Amino acid sequence: MFSQYFGQYLLNQGLVSGDKLHQAILAQKETHVKLGVLAINQAYMTARQVEEVHQAQMTVDKRFGEIAVELGYITEVQVGELLSSQKNAHLLLGQALIDMDEFTYETFSQSLSSFKEAYSLTDDQFSSITNGNIETLVSSILLQNHLGGKQWLCDYVSLFAKNLVRFIDSNIRLEIGDGQNQSRCEWTFSQDILKDDLSKTVTIAGDENAMLHLASRYAQESIETPDEMMEASVGEFLNLHNGIFLVNLSNQGIELNLKPQVPARNIPSNSFPNTIKLNVIGTDTSFDLIISDLSDLVVHQS
Amino acid sequence: MDIFGLKILICDDSLLVRKKLRDALEIAGFYHVLEAGDGNEAIEKCKNEKPDVVLLDIIMPKKNGLDAIQEIKEINKNTLVIMASSVGTQSNLIQSLKLGASNFIQKPITVEAVINAIQTTLQERGNS
């Protein structure tokens, strides 16, 4: 998931064009992350040092790791650690851009640093995110959009992101705000979360194409018409997600309930006042998640 | 006991869940699978078809799963009611078991979980 944010960041900063980013994303499957990129990512070596080792490799028949150790830039233990480390997706993307001559090691190194700065991330937080910690990523996104401090929101959105990755699409990105920019929502799927007499609604909204894509991915079969199966699939994904959220709250001593999910068509976009809107951007689709303020529901019962 | 000969009623308001679960059960070898879309339909099917096992969702329109358990057990106290819901909260777990359910499967449902739940309950009944 982080790879999607990193790629979008590079695009937004003008560091890469849309075409080249797309090419690099496709090239990731064939890309082999080299030790230089791994060393920069872990801040074991600078870009200048990596370039120096590469230059040296042209004159001596030795491996990158051997030369880097001889020059004192890295230890053998660190080489071993890097060689056995997980090849995170953003490193594949970075290596692909370097292989395409779109990036130098210096621009790759600088883009990692500026990303951390843009999202106010410590090195530990960045490492956590690149190793797949979705909570840390979501927390930093919410903070950047002045929505920090709402633990229930971080929990809800993090869980939604995990469920999207698990059931729908591993290449997703969440952005705060209404991505649809339409006066009406062609399709909505809403579900009420209840506590005694209090009821709050969460809604998935999007156009027909987006709902068909979402439904097909969740059902793991092609759904090509907006029929009962599409409604059932999108509705069940929302129901499953909300159900798991409620189970997590139950484990903290907070008991809530759900109503059946309700599909609707052509709902005015201004029908959702006092909500937080998230735009979900996936491989081949985009839709909105519209969340009411759940803070009154998630207080511990005294 | 040949559990695959048991008559199974899937009660869920989601057409997708009913279809996927039916397909999975039939591939696994169950050959008598029925469907219902809400608690009221489930009760009617229990009266007319006498299923051995009811896989019962909770959040449904018209009549939810928790409200249906008691009536299902009144029709036949030996019907094995297994809750299959996304809302596996402490409250729903306790309430469903109090009302007569034998087990609770948290969604997403797998056939393996269904088979385990049936076998566990039948074993417990055999031992009691």
Side-chain angles (χ1 to χ4, degrees), chain A residues 122-264:
Chain A
T122 64
D123 287 343
D124 280 346
Q125 285 173 325
F126 184 73
S127 179
S128 177
I129 287 169
T130 57
N131 285 321
N133 188 314
I134 288 179
E135 281 87 357
T136 308
L137 178 59
V138 167
S139 185
S140 67
I141 292 163
L142 292 177
L143 202 63
Q144 206 196 27
N145 287 275
H146 312 294
L147 290 169
K150 296 178 196 283
Q151 187 58 47
W152 68 265
L153 183 61
C154 186
D155 291 342
Y156 191 88
V157 175
S158 299
L159 180 65
F160 192 71
K162 286 181 192 173
N163 285 329
L164 282 170
V165 169
R166 182 180 172 193
F167 295 110
I168 307 296
D169 185 352
S170 58
N171 295 320
I172 58 114
R173 197 173 85 244
L174 302 172
E175 300 285 349
I176 306 296
D178 179 359
Q180 305 306 308
N181 289 322
Q182 304 285 335
S183 59
R184 305 189 83 81
C185 301
E186 199 174 347
W187 277 95
T188 60
F189 294 84
S190 299
Q191 188 164 37
D192 287 349
I193 302 175
L194 313 167
K195 181 179 179 179
D196 301 323
D197 293 332
L198 198 53
S199 171
K200 299 285 183 177
T201 309
V202 180
T203 301
I204 286 175
D207 62 27
E208 186 171 285
N209 209 38
M211 296 300 101
L212 286 169
H213 273 116
L214 177 57
S216 297
R217 281 180 175 263
Y218 184 65
Q220 295 184 313
E221 60 184 61
S222 178
I223 298 174
E224 293 175 7
T225 54
D227 56 9
E228 193 185 343
M229 187 57 81
M230 183 196 84
E231 291 182 15
S233 183
V234 178
E236 186 59 24
F237 173 66
L238 181 62
N239 181 57
L240 177 70
H241 162 69
N242 282 332
I244 296 172
F245 181 65
L246 262 57
V247 171
N248 291 344
L249 287 175
S250 174
N251 293 336
Q252 298 169 39
I254 299 167
E255 294 290 331
L256 302 179
N257 220 326
L258 292 175
K259 275 190 177 170
Q261 53 279 31
V262 178

